[in-house]
Amino acid sequence: MLTGLMILEGVLSIALIAVVVLQSGKSAGLSGSIAGGAESIFGGKGKGLDGILAKATIILATLFGIVTLILVKLMQ
């Protein structure tokens, strides 16, 4: 079980890196990050592939975190 979870962790990490790299940049610099945050708070929607990649990033990051916590608990 431990080996299987470690393999899953590796696959999730590679998939997460790939999804993040495939996303297009929204804006450059600090002002872009502030504007991007405000847009997402006030209901800005990702269109097409960017929206799918954003959702995939959230799902993969959540799974990665859960598997990591399980591995830490099992290693103790």
Side-chain angles (χ1 to χ4, degrees), residues 50-61:
D50 286 336
I52 294 170
L53 289 174
K55 288 180 184 178
T57 303
I58 293 169
I59 292 169
L60 287 172

Side-chain angles (χ1 to χ4, degrees), residues 9 12 62-74:
E9 182 89 357
L12 285 173
T62 303
L63 288 173
F64 182 82
I66 291 169
V67 171
T68 303
L69 290 174
I70 292 170
L71 278 171
V72 167
K73 197 68 172 167
L74 289 175

Side-chain angles (χ1 to χ4, degrees), residues 21-63:
V21 168
L22 286 174
Q23 291 181 12
S24 63
K26 306 286 185 225
S27 302
L30 182 60
S31 62
S33 65
I34 294 171
E39 181 180 316
S40 65
I41 290 173
F42 295 116
K45 295 181 183 175
K47 295 184 180 178
L49 186 59
D50 286 336
I52 294 170
L53 289 174
K55 288 180 184 178
T57 303
I58 293 169
I59 292 169
L60 287 172
T62 303
L63 288 173

